[in-house]
Amino acid sequence: MLYVKNLYKSYSQKGQESWKCQALNGIDFHVAQGEFVAVMGPSGSGKTTLLNCISCYIPFDKGSILLDGASLTDLKEDALAQIRNIKIGFVFQDFMLLDGLTIRENILVPRIVQGKALEEAGQLANQLAEMFGIGHIMDKYPAQISGGEKQRAAVARSMINRPLIILADEPTGNLDSKSGCKVIGAFVKAREQMGETIFMVTHDSFAASFCDRVILLKDGSIYRQMEKKASRSQFQNELLAAIKQMSI
């Protein structure tokens, strides 16, 4: 599904091109169809840079990114915009809902952009809302609902085009533990009931423990990849131990 091969990304300051900060240093991994994968690591490890490269919001220096067999390298902006709207679903830490639209309309935004907000799309929006426990707020506005409800609406919006992959950037970062648990539950349902593929950046070991696999980044390189082979709680303990070891 998603293949990231030998990915490098560095930053330099204008006027000081000889100085470079290596953000990604030969990243190499893949995400299989229907897999729920998290990326963890300390601040500055390259998590957000990696996500931004995969979504093509920033260019990378070297390497390749393949989505469903198609290269995302050197595409023109129109082609990238189409891929972002149709083939990739996004969930942001700050929800990114439009205040002037109802929750139903927010979920349908990607279809509205395409001019395809048809009856079938409305039925899917209702199905997703019921699945995520937000069917009762579909006619409300973002200011009238909780942060957890906003994020579950954002998850539904990310799925309305049935994308190839959902990219989630710290989706529980602005939520309390109870709300965050419901959001992660929405991702689990998306994977189990709709077959969605999810790639999530997170600092939260609890959220990551629901994933099939976790990629640990350190200083722009993959430190370790860990698969869940036992219970969620045991996997969380293994993640915490690995993170502690990584910081030594």
Side-chain angles (χ1 to χ4, degrees):
M1 172 61 72
L2 174 68
Y3 288 85
V4 176
K5 300 181 179 180
N6 199 34
L7 196 69
Y8 286 82
K9 173 64 181 177
S10 61
Y11 295 100
S12 60
Q13 291 184 352
K14 189 174 181 180
Q16 298 182 17
E17 283 73 13
S18 61
W19 176 89
K20 283 190 176 183
C21 172
Q22 196 69 40
L24 299 177
N25 190 24
I27 298 292
D28 207 331
F29 68 91
H30 80 280
V31 178
Q33 184 174 358
E35 195 175 16
F36 188 4
V37 177
V39 177
M40 298 186 72
S43 297
S45 61
K47 302 185 303 298
T48 299
T49 296
L50 176 60
L51 200 67
N52 285 336
C53 287
I54 293 171
S55 60
C56 299
Y57 282 122
I58 62 173
F60 47 90
D61 302 334
K62 187 170 67 171
S64 63
I65 299 173
L66 302 175
L67 181 61
D68 198 32
S71 174
L72 302 185
T73 308
D74 299 325
L75 292 178
K76 294 184 178 180
E77 188 55 41
D78 288 348
L80 287 175
Q82 187 174 24
I83 287 172
R84 292 190 196 110
N85 190 47
I86 298 174
K87 295 186 177 182
I88 301 176
F90 294 95
V91 179
F92 304 97
Q93 182 174 348
D94 295 326
F95 321 131
M96 303 295 281
L97 299 181
L98 300 174
D99 291 337
L101 300 182
T102 65
I103 298 307
R104 182 188 309 279
E105 291 166 339
N106 267 283
I107 292 173
L108 287 169
V109 160
R111 289 292 191 100
I112 294 171
V113 170
Q114 296 179 63
K116 295 182 179 179
L118 306 176
E119 181 179 352
E120 172 268 334
Q123 292 173 350
L124 178 56
N126 290 336
Q127 179 185 351
L128 294 170
E130 291 302 322
M131 185 189 304
F132 299 153
I134 55 172
H136 62 291
I137 61 167
M138 290 289 271
D139 295 321
K140 293 187 177 182
Y141 291 86
Q144 299 173 310
I145 65 175
S146 70
E149 289 169 333
K150 290 177 185 178
Q151 195 63 298
R152 280 179 280 159
V155 176
R157 179 186 59 194
S158 76
M159 295 175 59
I160 197 66
N161 277 330
R162 297 309 311 273
L164 294 174
I165 191 168
I166 296 171
L167 303 180
D169 187 9
E170 297 284 1
T172 63
N174 284 340
L175 303 175
D176 59 49
S177 58
K178 183 177 180 180
S179 296
C181 189
K182 289 182 178 179
V183 169
I184 295 302
F187 282 123
V188 172
K189 288 181 179 179
R191 196 273 305 271
E192 292 180 348
Q193 299 183 30
M194 306 288 282
E196 294 291 350
T197 305
I198 305 161
F199 186 74
M200 175 179 71
V201 166
T202 184
H203 279 97
D204 185 359
S205 63
F206 177 77
S209 68
F210 285 85
C211 296
D212 304 306
R213 181 161 50 97
V214 175
I215 300 170
L216 299 179
L217 289 188
K218 181 178 181 180
D219 299 330
S221 299
I222 293 179
Y223 172 80
R224 184 178 175 186
Q225 296 196 49
M226 302 177 65
E227 294 185 9
K228 182 165 63 178
K229 297 180 179 179
S231 67
R232 185 213 61 77
S233 60
Q234 183 174 335
F235 190 38
Q236 184 179 10
N237 290 335
E238 292 171 357
L239 289 172
L240 290 170
I243 291 167
K244 182 178 180 180
Q245 181 65 34
M246 184 170 60
S247 65
I248 295 176

